[in-house]
Amino acid sequence: MLMRPATQPINARDDDDVTQRPSKTQLKQQMHALQQLGQSLAALSAERLDGLQLPERLRDAIDEFKRTRSHEGRRRQLQFIGKLMRGVDAEPLLSAVAAEKLGPAVQALQLHEAERWRLELVNTDDAIARWSSAHPDSDAQRLHALVLAARREGALPAGQRHGRAWRELFQFVKLNMARS
């Protein structure tokens, strides 16, 4: 019985060719990712798309996708958008889509942080000093006056509270957090 050496495969390929070339599955995944990015771009407003400076042909394809109503037409238009996006740098587009999706979440987090500061300022005495060290450009006298007014208002019975001082303190905190 004739035996082949174990180190040489029957069809020896150059390993460099195999590692440099993406597989068919990887190519399909990349194309699907570009199509999904194109669909996310189509969900953006016209003003936002104008700011991205897309190539004219890609912008026209996205506009056509928005106008298309049939399922098959939209699917084929997405494939075309994916094809056009091969020649475009996807990083700025990905960051624009992510910023659009994260915008409301970031705003909500900022409001929660402002609310946390307001509660802390009203409930603890040393919070004013911590606020002043964290936000040195804010008006400390105005903050102190707003905190005292909110504390006085909070001590009133529920029927006599108007909430004005509470709202003013929140607006002060929110405005100064935005500046920082």
Side-chain angles (χ1 to χ4, degrees), residues 109-153:
L109 286 174
Q110 289 171 344
L111 289 177
H112 288 298
E113 182 69 13
E115 177 65 22
R116 186 191 65 76
W117 266 111
R118 174 174 64 177
L119 287 172
E120 193 172 333
L121 287 166
V122 170
N123 293 330
T124 59
D125 292 330
D126 63 333
I128 295 175
R130 284 196 313 268
W131 171 267
S132 295
S133 65
H135 304 279
D137 57 336
S138 63
D139 184 6
Q141 286 182 332
R142 174 94 172 119
L143 175 65
H144 190 66
L146 288 171
V147 168
L148 289 177
R151 287 178 183 171
R152 270 187 261 121
E153 192 174 270

